[in-house]
């Protein structure tokens, strides 16, 4: 390498030592450099949050317990149904292949129909959850109102 190559390499390493990022601490900065003002809400820790709810008080309310019980009453059976239905196909194909080979229409057998029905089942379960979630949201909104809080 000649003199010119060495000089350019030295210049490049010198420019790398300079910090070229501006230090403006604008509101859009991800990590502002200073803390002169109040921290934005999304940067506060749990200890710094001024709008904290007393969760022991919330958990002791009957309407909160009813909300949790309603959610559990939906989620547990729906999850169990989904898991059993999902794993039924490989189990039936493995342990009852003669049943799953039964042709229904042309070359389409029970295994194909069962596999396709899983898509219908997943969409149906999602639609069922949307209806239940509307009820859960109404219960939660009633709880928020009862606690004297505004919805965010």
């Amino acid at each position: 390498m000649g003199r010119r190559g060495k000089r350019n390499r030295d210049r490049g390493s010198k420019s790398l030592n300079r910090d070229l990022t501006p230090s403006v601490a604008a509101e859009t900065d991800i990590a502002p450099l200073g803390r002169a003002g109040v921290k934005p809400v999304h940067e506060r820790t749990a200890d710094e949050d001024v709008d904290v709810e007393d969760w022991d008080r919330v958990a002791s309310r009957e309407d909160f317990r009813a909300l949790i019980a309603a959610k559990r009453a939906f989620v547990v059976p729906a999850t169990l149904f989904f898991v059993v239905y999902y794993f039924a196909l490989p189990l039936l194909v493995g342990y009852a292949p003669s049943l799953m080979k039964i042709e229904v229409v042309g070359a389409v057998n029970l295994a194909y129909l069962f596999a396709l029905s899983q898509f219908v089942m997943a969409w149906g379960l999602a639609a069922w959850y949307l209806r239940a979630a509307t009820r859960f949201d109404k219960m939660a909104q009633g709880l928020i109102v009862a606690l004297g809080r505004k919805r965010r």
Side-chain angles (χ1 to χ4, degrees):
M1 187 180 309
R3 284 185 187 192
R4 180 176 279 171
K6 185 176 182 198
R7 250 188 272 142
N8 287 340
R9 188 179 59 209
D10 290 343
R11 280 188 198 142
S13 65
K14 287 179 185 174
S15 68
L16 289 178
N17 292 334
R18 291 185 315 161
D19 184 9
L20 300 177
T21 55
S23 58
V24 294
E27 289 182 25
T28 58
D29 284 351
I30 293 173
L33 298 175
R35 290 284 179 215
V38 178
K39 273 187 179 181
V41 175
H42 67 277
E43 289 184 10
R44 292 184 190 147
T45 63
D47 292 334
E48 297 168 334
D49 196 355
V50 294
D51 194 20
V52 180
E53 191 61 54
D54 180 13
W55 284 104
D56 291 332
R57 181 175 71 104
V58 173
S60 66
R61 294 182 56 91
E62 187 60 37
D63 47 356
F64 179 77
R65 285 196 296 255
L67 172 62
I68 297 303
K71 282 185 169 187
R72 187 178 296 128
F74 177 86
V75 170
V76 171
T79 302
L80 288 174
F81 171 76
F82 175 81
V83 169
V84 168
Y85 198 89
Y86 182 79
F87 284 109
L89 176 63
L91 289 173
L92 287 171
V93 168
Y95 291 107
S98 58
L99 173 69
M100 300 307 280
K101 287 180 184 177
I102 295 174
E103 291 182 352
V104 179
V105 178
V108 178
N109 59 25
L110 282 178
Y112 284 126
L113 288 179
F114 196 96
L116 290 173
S117 75
Q118 289 190 344
F119 289 100
V120 175
M121 182 271 306
W123 282 99
L125 200 58
W128 187 31
Y129 176 75
L130 284 175
R131 290 186 62 187
T134 302
R135 187 170 38 97
F136 302 150
D137 288 345
K138 288 177 184 174
M139 292 172 75
Q141 186 60 35
L143 178 63
I144 290 169
V145 169
L147 290 169
R149 303 282 306 251
K150 292 181 182 175
R151 186 175 184 157
R152 294 179 203 210

